Amino acid sequence: MPQGKISESKVKTTIVMEKKLKSSLEIIAKEEIRSLNNLMVSILTDYVKTRTDRN
């Protein structure tokens, strides 16, 4: 897949957050040697799984 292109199974979105939250997430991502996007997708996936498991 060419760089900058996303797969058919994914979607691009925009979110708005506090600058401090973004900075904190960037620090965590750097510490974990991963991209900010990867960290955010992981956090959101875990949250949805937790919510789904409760029901």
Side-chain angles (χ1 to χ4, degrees), residues 9-37:
S9 65
K10 296 186 179 184
V11 63
K12 190 178 231 183
T13 188
T14 303
I15 64 169
V16 178
M17 70 179 80
E18 297 292 327
K19 287 180 181 181
K20 185 173 178 172
L21 174 58
K22 183 174 182 262
S23 294
S24 296
L25 289 168
E26 288 172 330
I27 290 167
I28 294 167
K30 188 173 183 178
E31 288 173 351
E32 295 184 3
I33 312 169
R34 62 199 308 182
S35 68
L36 177 60
N37 182 79

